[in-house]
Amino acid sequence: MLSHKTKYALKALLYLAQQEEGFIAKTMDIAEGSNIPKKFLEQILLELKRGHFVSSKQGKLGGYYLIKSKNTITLADIHRLFDGAIALLPCASLNFYEPCSDCKTESECLLRLGLVAIRDKTLSAMESITIASLIKK
Protein backbone atom coordinates (compact mmCIF):
# COMPACT_ATOMS: atom_id res chain seq x y z
CA MET A 1 0.00 0.00 0.00
CA LEU A 2 1.28 3.46 -0.87
CA SER A 3 1.78 5.90 1.97
CA HIS A 4 -0.04 9.23 1.89
CA LYS A 5 3.33 10.87 1.29
CA THR A 6 3.95 8.81 -1.86
CA LYS A 7 0.40 9.36 -3.11
CA TYR A 8 0.70 13.12 -2.60
CA ALA A 9 4.13 13.19 -4.24
CA LEU A 10 2.66 11.50 -7.30
CA LYS A 11 -0.27 13.93 -7.35
CA ALA A 12 2.13 16.90 -7.12
CA LEU A 13 4.26 15.51 -9.95
CA LEU A 14 1.14 14.96 -12.05
CA TYR A 15 0.11 18.58 -11.43
CA LEU A 16 3.54 19.88 -12.46
CA ALA A 17 3.69 17.58 -15.49
CA GLN A 18 0.39 18.95 -16.81
CA GLN A 19 1.68 22.53 -16.86
CA GLU A 20 3.31 24.15 -19.86
CA GLU A 21 7.05 23.56 -20.14
CA GLY A 22 8.94 26.17 -18.15
CA PHE A 23 5.94 26.91 -15.90
CA ILE A 24 6.80 27.50 -12.25
CA ALA A 25 4.02 26.51 -9.84
CA LYS A 26 3.54 28.04 -6.42
CA THR A 27 3.18 25.60 -3.54
CA MET A 28 -0.32 26.89 -2.79
CA ASP A 29 -1.42 26.29 -6.39
CA ILE A 30 -0.09 22.73 -6.33
CA ALA A 31 -1.76 22.11 -2.96
CA GLU A 32 -5.12 23.45 -4.10
CA GLY A 33 -4.92 21.89 -7.56
CA SER A 34 -4.03 18.47 -6.17
CA ASN A 35 -6.01 18.59 -2.92
CA ILE A 36 -2.91 18.17 -0.74
CA PRO A 37 -2.44 19.83 2.68
CA LYS A 38 0.02 22.71 2.06
CA LYS A 39 2.30 22.03 5.06
CA PHE A 40 2.60 18.35 4.11
CA LEU A 41 3.21 19.29 0.47
CA GLU A 42 6.11 21.56 1.45
CA GLN A 43 7.92 18.59 3.04
CA ILE A 44 7.17 16.40 0.02
CA LEU A 45 8.46 19.00 -2.45
CA LEU A 46 11.70 19.29 -0.48
CA GLU A 47 12.18 15.52 -0.69
CA LEU A 48 11.39 15.56 -4.42
CA LYS A 49 13.97 18.33 -4.78
CA ARG A 50 16.60 16.31 -2.87
CA GLY A 51 15.73 13.38 -5.15
CA HIS A 52 16.39 15.57 -8.22
CA PHE A 53 12.85 15.32 -9.62
CA VAL A 54 11.95 18.99 -9.13
CA SER A 55 13.74 22.24 -8.50
CA SER A 56 12.61 25.57 -7.16
CA LYS A 57 13.01 29.24 -7.80
CA GLN A 58 12.89 31.72 -4.92
CA GLY A 59 11.10 35.03 -4.81
CA LYS A 60 7.75 36.53 -5.70
CA LEU A 61 7.63 34.71 -9.03
CA GLY A 62 9.15 31.56 -7.56
CA GLY A 63 7.83 28.08 -7.11
CA TYR A 64 8.50 24.52 -8.23
CA TYR A 65 9.05 22.92 -11.61
CA LEU A 66 10.07 19.54 -13.01
CA ILE A 67 13.73 19.01 -13.79
CA LYS A 68 13.39 15.34 -14.70
CA SER A 69 11.29 14.46 -17.72
CA LYS A 70 7.75 13.31 -17.03
CA ASN A 71 8.52 10.54 -19.54
CA THR A 72 11.21 9.07 -17.30
CA ILE A 73 9.76 9.49 -13.77
CA THR A 74 8.24 6.11 -12.85
CA LEU A 75 6.03 4.94 -10.01
CA ALA A 76 8.97 2.80 -8.87
CA ASP A 77 11.20 5.91 -8.57
CA ILE A 78 8.75 7.73 -6.34
CA HIS A 79 7.82 4.66 -4.29
CA ARG A 80 11.48 4.01 -3.52
CA LEU A 81 12.10 7.65 -2.62
CA PHE A 82 9.26 7.84 -0.10
CA ASP A 83 8.37 4.28 0.92
CA GLY A 84 11.62 2.41 0.34
CA ALA A 85 11.70 -1.17 -0.86
CA ILE A 86 9.19 -2.52 -3.35
CA ALA A 87 9.74 -6.08 -2.08
CA LEU A 88 7.53 -7.34 0.74
CA LEU A 89 10.50 -8.60 2.79
CA PRO A 90 14.09 -7.31 2.94
CA CYS A 91 15.48 -10.70 1.81
CA ALA A 92 13.61 -10.29 -1.52
CA SER A 93 14.67 -6.69 -2.10
CA LEU A 94 17.06 -5.50 -4.79
CA ASN A 95 18.03 -2.16 -3.24
CA PHE A 96 17.27 -2.71 0.45
CA TYR A 97 18.42 -6.33 0.85
CA GLU A 98 18.92 -7.83 4.31
CA PRO A 99 19.04 -11.54 5.12
CA CYS A 100 16.31 -12.95 7.33
CA SER A 101 17.50 -14.09 10.74
CA ASP A 102 14.98 -16.92 10.94
CA CYS A 103 15.87 -18.74 7.68
CA LYS A 104 18.44 -21.56 7.54
CA THR A 105 19.47 -20.73 3.97
CA GLU A 106 17.97 -18.36 1.44
CA SER A 107 18.29 -20.85 -1.40
CA GLU A 108 15.96 -23.25 0.44
CA CYS A 109 13.46 -20.64 1.63
CA LEU A 110 10.24 -21.24 -0.29
CA LEU A 111 8.72 -17.99 0.96
CA ARG A 112 11.60 -15.91 -0.43
CA LEU A 113 11.28 -17.50 -3.86
CA GLY A 114 7.61 -16.53 -4.02
CA LEU A 115 8.30 -13.01 -2.76
CA VAL A 116 11.06 -12.49 -5.34
CA ALA A 117 8.54 -13.43 -8.07
CA ILE A 118 6.03 -10.93 -6.66
CA ARG A 119 8.74 -8.26 -6.45
CA ASP A 120 9.77 -8.84 -10.05
CA LYS A 121 6.23 -8.50 -11.41
CA THR A 122 5.44 -5.50 -9.22
CA LEU A 123 8.71 -3.79 -10.14
CA SER A 124 8.14 -4.42 -13.83
CA ALA A 125 4.67 -2.89 -13.65
CA MET A 126 5.82 0.11 -11.58
CA GLU A 127 8.76 0.80 -13.89
CA SER A 128 6.50 0.75 -16.94
CA ILE A 129 4.20 3.46 -15.58
CA THR A 130 5.54 6.98 -15.97
CA ILE A 131 4.05 10.29 -14.95
CA ALA A 132 3.51 11.03 -18.65
CA SER A 133 1.65 7.75 -19.20
CA LEU A 134 -0.71 8.55 -16.30
CA ILE A 135 -1.56 11.91 -17.85
CA LYS A 136 -2.34 10.31 -21.21
CA LYS A 137 -4.85 7.92 -19.64
Side-chain angles (χ1 to χ4, degrees):
M1 189 177 302
L2 291 179
S3 67
H4 278 89
K5 206 173 208 184
T6 301
K7 179 182 173 185
Y8 289 158
L10 290 166
K11 288 176 72 172
L13 289 168
L14 286 166
Y15 180 89
L16 291 171
Q18 291 178 79
Q19 308 309 311
E20 290 181 31
E21 194 168 323
F23 182 80
I24 298 174
K26 297 197 177 305
T27 306
M28 183 57 81
D29 294 336
I30 300 169
E32 289 176 0
S34 302
N35 199 25
I36 303 170
K38 185 178 179 284
K39 281 288 185 192
F40 198 22
L41 177 61
E42 289 170 352
Q43 296 170 4
I44 290 166
L45 289 169
L46 287 174
E47 286 187 54
L48 286 169
K49 187 175 178 178
R50 282 192 288 268
H52 305 287
F53 293 97
V54 302
S55 191
S56 63
K57 183 177 179 184
Q58 301 296 317
K60 186 176 179 179
L61 301 175
Y64 286 88
Y65 56 95
L66 289 178
I67 57 171
K68 192 169 181 184
S69 170
K70 62 186 173 187
N71 295 308
T72 61
I73 301 171
T74 68
L75 292 184
D77 295 331
I78 305 308
H79 184 280
R80 282 187 173 133
L81 180 66
F82 290 96
D83 288 339
I86 291 169
L88 298 174
L89 283 178
C91 68
S93 179
L94 292 172
N95 295 340
F96 301 91
Y97 172 83
E98 288 180 26
C100 292
S101 60
D102 57 340
C103 291
K104 291 179 183 177
T105 65
E106 284 183 2
S107 61
E108 295 175 13
C109 178
L110 300 177
L111 180 59
R112 182 178 184 276
L113 295 175
L115 294 178
V116 166
I118 291 169
R119 179 216 56 214
D120 289 345
K121 289 183 191 279
T122 303
L123 180 60
S124 176
M126 291 179 84
E127 286 180 333
S128 72
I129 300 170
T130 64
I131 296 297
S133 71
L134 291 173
I135 294 169
K136 291 176 187 174
K137 293 179 181 183

